[in-house]
């Protein structure tokens, strides 16, 4: 039996691992997820089982050091969902020192190569204008983990390099970094060919370590049962003759990109147009967004907002999907649903993560209303795009991921 240790920075991301867990167990792996939710006050439950997966907060081990957890668990391989932050650097350093295989599995579509400069510039501006974000308890605990991961003789040099990098180019060192030895995972598993191009050509990660495996959530969604529309509407509390538009939240508020007021104003503009057409609005909230922070606004404006939603049926039965750049746009394209990306007002500043012949970028509320009722005539464009990105509806992405992990562990 091989042991795989999943590490994440919060418990709410557990579905990224539970959808893989059964297949890992079938392939003779023991599994455990350790998260650092207590770093941000989310670690009330120290140990639990979620959908058959053993989940522990780092506090279960009576330590704040992920190094101590790894030493206790002694895994054969570690799987992480990020490879850019300071905490990720600490994990890489520890794995190199101990001799444990490390695999990075991306959990979303990444930005396009062409938009990197714009996105990095916006991130730098956001980080520098919200410097208070740096002085949080979590970040100090992460720094302690990073220092703990360094070799004794290199602590001063590595620390100086890190601080200098953060000051000079925060996005390039924290969220969108170029390849270096502290980000040298044994295997990088990405969703699309475009993501591979980004990591190799733009960020300099070794091509031979990058594999395109597809999106396991898409495979999972495709294989969920299709529900009759009137039954789906009944289950969510709508009348059987209601029509609705599905809004896929990009995490603009929880990501500190927009204020609540800016987001609310944007949603009101959307509501004004869809109400004229007699449509209702459903919002699929970003996993990091707290529903309770917005309940008053949603209730006052007759918006149905959900954290957990039947993705497949909510997309299939919608009149259209609205989103700016979310990974979940791919889910809509798989089901060939019309996607509208608002580009007026504040949203004009947001980067475009998909080709303009693939989704509808709309620059005024007037054109938005027209786009809602126009036919969707880009079937061939969508089909060719999905094929070019290595997205195949018939590929068992979960099995593909497990096979890549097994090969890495045994190499």
């Amino acid at each position: 039996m091989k042991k795989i240790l999943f590490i994440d920075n919060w418990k709410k991301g557990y579905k990224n691992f539970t959808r893989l867990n059964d297949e890992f167990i079938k392939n003779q792996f023991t599994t455990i997820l350790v998260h650092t939710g207590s770093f941000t006050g989310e670690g009330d439950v120290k140990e639990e089982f979620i959908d058959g997966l053993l989940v522990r907060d780092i506090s279960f081990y009576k330590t704040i050091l992920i190094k101590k957890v790894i030493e206790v668990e002694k895994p054969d391989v570690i799987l992480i969902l990020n490879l850019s932050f300071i905490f990720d650097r600490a994990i890489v350093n520890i794995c190199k020192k101990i001799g444990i295989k490390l695999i990075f599995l991306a959990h979303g579509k990444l930005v396009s190569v062409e938009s990197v400069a714009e996105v990095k510039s916006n991130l730098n501006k956001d980080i520098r204008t919200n410097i208070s974000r740096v002085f949080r308890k979590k970040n100090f605990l992460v720094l302690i983990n990073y220092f703990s991961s360094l070799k004794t003789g290199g602590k001063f040099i590595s620390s100086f390099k890190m601080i200098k990098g953060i000051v000079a180019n925060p996005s390039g060192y924290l969220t969108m970094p170029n390849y270096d030895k502290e980000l040298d995972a044994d295997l990088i598993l990405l969703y699309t060919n475009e993501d591979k191009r980004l990591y190799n050509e733009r960020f300099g990660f070794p091509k031979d370590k990058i594999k395109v495996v597809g999106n396991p959530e898409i495979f999972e969604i495709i294989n969920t049962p299709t529900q009759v529309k009137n039954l789906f509407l009944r289950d969510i509390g709508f009348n059987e003759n209601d029509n609705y538009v599905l809004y896929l939240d990009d995490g603009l508020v929880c990501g500190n990109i927009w204020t609540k007021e800016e987001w609310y104003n944007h949603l009101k503009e959307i509501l004004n147009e869809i109400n004229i057409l007699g449509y209702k609005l459903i919002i699929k909230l970003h996993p990091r967004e707290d529903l309770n922070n917005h309940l008053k606004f949603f209730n006052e404006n007759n918006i149905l907002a959900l954290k957990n939603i039947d993705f497949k049926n909510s997309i299939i039965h919608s009149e259209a999907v609205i989103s700016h750049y979310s990974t979940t746009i791919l889910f809509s394209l798989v089901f060939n649903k019309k996607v509208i990306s608002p580009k007026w007002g504040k949203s004009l500043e947001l980067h475009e993560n998909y080709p303009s012949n693939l989704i509808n970028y709309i620059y005024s509320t007037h054109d938005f209303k027209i786009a809602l009722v126009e036919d969707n005539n880009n079937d061939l464009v969508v089909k060719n795009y999905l094929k070019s990105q290595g997205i195949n509806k018939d590929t068992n992405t979960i099995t593909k991921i497990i096979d890549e992990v097994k090969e890495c562990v045994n190499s």
Side-chain angles (χ1 to χ4, degrees):
M1 295 284 284
K2 301 285 187 181
K3 176 186 277 191
I4 183 166
L5 170 62
F6 306 130
I7 299 178
D8 202 9
N9 58 11
W10 65 336
K11 185 178 75 174
K12 293 179 183 178
Y14 69 86
K15 286 187 177 179
N16 292 293
F17 305 104
T18 53
R19 68 172 56 99
L20 306 175
N21 193 52
D22 287 348
E23 198 65 29
F24 270 120
I25 292 173
K26 288 178 186 176
N27 282 271
Q28 304 301 304
F29 279 86
T30 58
T31 59
I32 181 172
L33 166 60
V34 175
H35 63 87
T36 57
S38 55
F39 285 8
T40 55
E42 298 175 355
D44 294 338
V45 180
K46 294 185 177 182
E47 182 182 55
E48 59 189 312
F49 279 91
I50 302 178
D51 295 340
L53 174 63
L54 176 59
V55 179
R56 288 174 177 166
D57 182 82
I58 192 171
S59 60
F60 174 89
Y61 299 88
K62 295 181 172 57
T63 183
I64 59 169
L65 299 178
I66 197 66
K67 177 182 177 181
K68 298 291 186 184
V69 174
I70 293 171
E71 288 173 345
V72 169
E73 291 298 337
K74 297 180 176 62
D76 297 283
V77 60
I78 292 174
L79 188 144
I80 56 177
L81 301 179
N82 297 292
L83 189 62
S84 62
F85 301 111
I86 294 173
F87 192 67
D88 307 322
R89 293 172 181 270
I91 295 172
V92 172
N93 291 337
I94 294 164
C95 288
K96 295 292 182 187
K97 193 183 297 184
I98 300 177
I100 296 173
K101 293 288 179 68
L102 177 65
I103 297 173
F104 162 50
L105 172 63
H107 62 297
K109 183 185 182 301
L110 309 173
V111 300
S112 66
V113 174
E114 290 73 22
S115 65
V116 168
E118 176 190 355
V119 174
K120 290 182 76 169
S121 175
N122 290 337
L123 282 170
N124 283 337
K125 179 181 177 182
D126 179 61
I127 293 170
R128 288 169 178 149
T129 55
N130 294 279
I131 196 67
S132 61
R133 293 167 56 186
V134 175
F135 301 101
R136 293 176 178 172
K137 174 187 173 183
K138 173 189 174 181
N139 293 334
F140 286 109
L141 294 173
V142 165
L143 279 174
I144 292 171
N145 272 274
Y146 177 72
F147 294 143
S148 171
S149 75
L150 299 173
K151 295 178 180 178
T152 304
K155 288 191 176 184
F156 177 79
I157 296 174
S158 296
S159 301
F160 177 77
K161 178 185 174 185
M162 179 188 67
I163 294 170
K164 181 182 177 182
I166 293 173
V167 171
N169 183 20
S171 69
Y173 203 84
L174 295 173
T175 54
M176 303 181 73
N178 291 327
Y179 171 78
D180 68 30
K181 66 179 182 179
E182 287 192 333
L183 298 172
D184 185 30
D186 294 283
L187 180 62
I188 296 173
L189 302 177
L190 304 177
Y191 282 5
T192 69
N193 292 326
E194 179 69 13
D195 295 339
K196 180 176 181 178
R197 181 175 160 230
L198 174 73
Y199 259 72
N200 177 236
E201 296 180 15
R202 188 63 177 79
F203 295 153
F205 284 77
K207 190 174 183 178
D208 62 340
K209 291 191 175 186
I210 304 173
K211 303 283 187 178
V212 175
V213 293
N215 185 330
E217 191 170 2
I218 287 179
F219 176 77
E220 184 179 51
I221 290 170
I222 287 172
N223 287 280
T224 58
T226 302
Q227 198 172 14
V228 177
K229 183 176 181 179
N230 66 328
L231 295 180
F232 171 73
L233 291 172
R234 185 189 65 188
D235 286 349
I236 62 174
F238 281 11
N239 296 321
E240 64 177 26
N241 294 320
D242 285 339
N243 292 314
Y244 66 90
V245 173
L246 178 64
Y247 182 102
L248 302 176
D249 174 23
D250 301 87
L252 296 172
V253 177
C254 62
N256 296 305
I257 298 169
W258 284 1
T259 64
K260 281 204 300 186
E261 290 70 25
E262 288 169 337
W263 191 44
Y264 291 170
N265 288 336
H266 179 67
L267 291 176
K268 285 178 181 177
E269 290 176 328
I270 289 173
L271 274 170
N272 287 340
E273 302 306 320
I274 69 172
N275 286 341
I276 292 172
L277 296 170
Y279 297 160
K280 291 189 173 184
L281 182 63
I282 297 178
I283 297 180
K284 163 61 177 74
L285 287 174
H286 188 277
R288 289 185 179 275
E289 193 58 72
D290 189 342
L291 174 61
N292 293 321
N293 290 340
H294 308 286
L295 271 178
K296 184 174 184 290
F297 173 80
F298 294 151
N299 290 336
E300 289 175 348
N301 291 277
N302 197 28
I303 297 171
L304 175 62
L306 301 167
K307 291 278 284 188
N308 297 311
I309 193 170
D310 181 336
F311 244 135
K312 180 177 183 177
N313 287 289
S314 63
I315 290 171
I316 288 174
H317 299 310
S318 69
E319 299 302 310
V321 171
I322 302 171
S323 192
H324 297 286
Y325 49 72
S326 172
T327 297
T328 52
I329 287 175
L330 285 173
F331 306 165
S332 307
L333 296 176
V334 165
F335 294 111
N336 202 29
K337 183 61 65 172
K338 175 169 55 184
V339 179
I340 299 173
S341 181
K343 293 294 290 181
W344 65 81
K346 186 73 175 174
S347 59
L348 191 60
E349 302 171 1
L350 302 174
H351 70 274
E352 298 180 4
N353 207 20
Y354 296 85
S356 58
N357 65 339
L358 190 69
I359 69 174
N360 299 280
Y361 291 105
I362 303 299
Y363 294 85
S364 72
T365 54
H366 175 265
D367 291 342
F368 172 72
K369 185 168 59 179
I370 294 173
L372 282 171
V373 296
E374 283 183 334
D375 290 335
N376 195 31
N377 297 316
N378 64 343
D379 296 20
L380 185 59
V381 173
V382 170
K383 182 179 179 180
N384 290 337
Y385 175 80
L386 295 175
K387 183 178 179 180
S388 72
Q389 295 305 310
I391 299 171
N392 187 332
K393 297 180 184 180
D394 299 321
T395 299
N396 188 329
T397 304
I398 293 173
T399 298
K400 195 170 182 180
I401 290 170
I402 274 67
D403 287 345
E404 292 289 356
V405 171
K406 286 165 59 180
E407 184 176 338
C408 179
V409 172
N410 295 325
S411 63

